[in-house]
Amino acid sequence: MFKESKFLVVCFLLFLLCFNFVASTTKKTYIIQMDNSAMPLVFTNHFDWYSSKIGSIVADNDVEDSRVIYNYQHAFHGLAAQLTEEEASRLGRDHGVVALFPETMYQLHTTRSPMFLGLDREEVVIDKARAQGNYDVVVGVLDTGIWPESPSFNDSGYGPIPARWKGACERGRAFDPARHCNKKIVGARVFYKGYESATGKINEEMEYKSPRDQDGHGSHTAGTVAGSPVLGASLLGYAQGTARGMYPWARIAAYKVCWTGGCFSSDILSAVDQAVSDGVDVLSISLGGGVSSYFRDSLSVATFGAMEKGVFVSCSAGNAGPEPVSLTNVAPWVATVGASTLDRNFPSNVRLGSGKSFSGVSIYKGRMHLSPKKLYPVVYLGSNSTSPDPNSLCLEGTLDRRKVQGKIVICDRGISPRVQKGQVVKQAGGIGMILANTAANGEELVADCHLLPAVAVGEKEGNIIKRYASRANATATISFLGTKVGIRPSPVVAAFSSRGPNILSLEVLKPDVVAPGVNILAAWTGSTGPSGVSADTRRVKFNVLSGTSMSCPHVSGVAALIKARHPTWSPAAIKSALMTTAYIHDNSKRPLIDAATETPSSPFDHGAGHINPVRALNPGLVYDITPQEYFEFLCARNPTPTQLKIFSRGGKLACHNKLSKAAGDLNYPALSVVFSSNASISSITIQRTVTNVGQPVSSYRARVTPFKGAKVVVEPKVLHFTKLYQKLSYKVTFKTVSRQPAPEAGYLMWKDATHKVRSPVALMWLPPSN
C-alpha cells in the first residue's frame, strides 16, 4: 500500500512538472503598448525598436520577427506578439514598455427604421444634390465583412471618392477589388492574425479568408449604417418597403475582424488603428467582450486614440439585459447604444382546441403548411413547471420521434438558438413549433425566420399553453398575419438590452441612448440562409435581426449624417447632440416602457432616451469635451503613473487636476450624482459648460424635475448667448433632503423658443459602510 501511494505521489509530481513546463512554453498573444518617446536614437523607426524588444527576451534559437503579429502606430502605439508568460513578465519590466494586454475574445451583439426615426421628413431627406454640398463622410464598420453584390451597396449616383481617403480594398477568396469595391464600398480589409494565433489556420474551404461576408452580420450592420435605398425590399414578403441606411450617402469601409470562432482583440485593435490611418470619420463596432478597467482594456485605449483623431466611435451596449450592471463598452469617449423596438411587428396566432387564442410573432413562408381552420395534435415534453425542463428545450438528439411525429411541439426558449429548436423538431417529424419564453425573457418577443411553421409567445401565454397541452388529445394550430405597423406603445426598451449603472464610473451615466434594435430589416449575405442554420438552403437579399448589434449602426449612421452637416464638430459634440435631443416618451405619449418589467424605464435602461435624428441636426447647445478633459477624468480616478502613461501618448497629455474633486465634473451631457456612504456629505455641486450652436443671440432658461431625496439649485438659471460657438458655464447643487434606498431619475433642461436641451439626471446614495 505504501509503495502504491509513493508511486501515485511520484506520478502526480511528474504531472505537475510537465504541466508547468507546458504552461511556461505555451505562447499566447499579448498586445504591447510602447512609449514611442523612449525609443533610443540608434533606431531609425519604431518598428525596428519594437522588434528588438521582442528579440531581447526570446530564446536564441527563436526568430523575433515570427513572434510579431501586428505593429500599431495611429490610434495606438505598440505591437502584438506571441509570448510565453515568462517572456511577457520580463518584457513588461523593460524600459519603454507601457502596458501588456492579454488577448481577449469578443463576440458579436447580434427598414422601417428611417421612417420611424423621421429620416423621411423633408428637412432631413438628403438627395443627391444636397449630399454633394455636404462633407463626404466615410464610416468604418468592424464586423464580419461585407457582401458586395447586395443592392444596398450600389454606388449609382455617387461622386468621386474623396481625395483625402487613404483606404484600400484587399484581394482574397471571392473578393476582387476591381469588381467588388466601388464608390460606395471604398475600403475592405481583413484582420485574422490574432484569430489564427489563438485557434489555428482558417479553413479557407469553409470560410472566406477575405473581406467577403459569410456570416451576414457585417452586411446587415453596414446596410443599416449607410445602405443605398432599395425599393421593394423584404424578407420573404415580410417588412416590405424601401430599405435604406441612416445616411445613405456615406461611404462604407468594411474591416473584417470576426470569424467563425469569434473576434480577437489584437485583430480589432489593428483594424481600429488602420481605420484611423485610412481616414474614417465614424467607427461602428457592434461587438463586446465584458468589462475591465479603462487601463486594462485595449479597445478603450484604441478608441481613445481614435477620438483624439476626431473619429466618432459607436459601440453596442451588449445583450445581457435585463440584468443590472450588464453593460459593455462603457468608456465615456464612445457612444454606448442600447436597443429598443420599432412600431412594426410580425404577428402570428396560436389557437387551441379549447377555443382560446394567443398572440405571438413569427416570420415564416415555406413548403410546410398548417391550415388555420384545422387543429393538430400539440405536445409539451417538459414538466409543466415555471422553470425550463431539459426535456423541453428541444436540443439536438433529445426529441423522441414517436412522441412528436405529426404534432406541434412546444419548446422552451434557452440554451440553443431559437431557430435551431425548430430544425430539431422538424428532423424528429414535428409539423410545427410553439416557442415559449421563460422567466429570463418575460414577455418580450423577437421574430425569427423559421424553417417550419413556428410562433414565439411570451412567458405568461406559454405557461397557459403548456398547461393545456398536458390534457389528453390536446390540439392547436398556428396562423401567420404578415406585417403590422403602427404598433403601440413604441418604442419600448428591449429586455435583452444591457443595463447600467456603469460599474467602472458611477458618475458617467450609461448607456448613452437607445435606438432601434428589434426586428431590423437590412442587407444580408448570399452565402447563408436567413435563419443562420446550416440546413437552411434559402437565400435572401435582406434579413431581419435583433440585438444591440443592430441599434449601434443606427447611431453610427445618424452620427455620419450629423458629421456631414457639421463637419467641424468633435465626436463629443456629435454625441451631445444625439443625447440632449433624445426623447423619453413613446408614441402614446407615455414614458418609455421597459419590456422586461412592463413598467417605465429609467436612465439606467434607456440612457438619455431614444435618438431623434431630426432634432439632433439642430440641438441648440452642445456639451463639448476635449481629449485633455477626458484625460483629466482619468486623472481623477487616482491612477498610478504607469496607468496614466497608457493614455498620455508619451507625455502629450498631463494631469492638471481640474477634476480632482469630482469625476462628475466631466462635461458629459448626462448628470450622475453619487452621494458617498459618509452621511455627513450631504451636498454636491457639479459644473457643466455648453457651447451655442443655435441662434447667435439667444437665451436659455433652466428647468429641473423635483426629486424626493434632494433639493436642486441651478446657477445661473438663465444663459444669455450673444454669438455663435460662445461657451457659458453653469453649476448644479444637489443637497440631500432624505437619503433614498434606490436611485432617483429625472432631467435638467435648457429651453429657448426653439430648442429643448435635455440631460438625464440620476441620483444615487451609497449605503453606509459597516
Side-chain angles (χ1 to χ4, degrees), residues 341-343 486-492 586-588 590-591 593:
T341 65
L342 292 170
D343 66 339
I487 300 295
R488 291 177 181 267
S490 62
V492 171
D586 59 33
N587 57 2
S588 61
R590 295 187 178 93
I593 295 296

Side-chain angles (χ1 to χ4, degrees), residues 29-31 69-70 72 76 79-80 101-107 142 191 193-195 198 257-258 262-273 287 289 296-300 302:
T29 300
Y30 290 85
I31 296 168
I69 297 174
Y70 291 114
Y72 309 117
F76 185 92
L79 67 157
F101 303 91
E103 182 81 280
T104 303
M105 189 171 80
Y106 289 69
Q107 297 290 346
L142 274 65
F191 302 86
K193 294 177 182 178
Y195 176 78
V257 297
C258 294
C263 328
F264 284 77
S265 55
S266 60
D267 297 327
I268 295 167
L269 185 54
S270 185
V272 172
D273 193 62
L287 45 87
R296 298 173 58 188
D297 182 352
S298 61
L299 185 57
S300 286

Side-chain angles (χ1 to χ4, degrees), residues 396-417:
E396 287 278 0
T398 62
L399 296 185
D400 186 338
R401 175 175 288 270
R402 294 169 299 178
K403 295 181 179 180
V404 304
Q405 188 160 12
K407 298 178 182 179
I408 297 173
V409 182
I410 302 170
C411 299
D412 283 322
R413 187 171 164 183
I415 307 298
S416 63

Side-chain angles (χ1 to χ4, degrees), residues 316-337:
S316 49
N319 298 338
E323 291 299 315
V325 198
S326 53
L327 292 166
T328 63
N329 302 317
V330 295
W333 45 88
V334 305
T336 308
V337 187

Side-chain angles (χ1 to χ4, degrees), residues 478-495:
I478 299 171
S479 56
F480 305 97
L481 307 179
T483 304
K484 183 179 180 181
V485 297
I487 300 295
R488 291 177 181 267
S490 62
V492 171
V493 179

Side-chain angles (χ1 to χ4, degrees), residues 54 94 112 198 200 231 318-319 329 428 554 562 579 609 651 670 721 732 754:
I54 300 301
D94 270 12
R112 180 168 171 78
L231 300 177
N319 298 338
N329 302 317
H554 279 83
I562 297 171
M579 292 177 66
F721 293 94
V732 187
T754 306

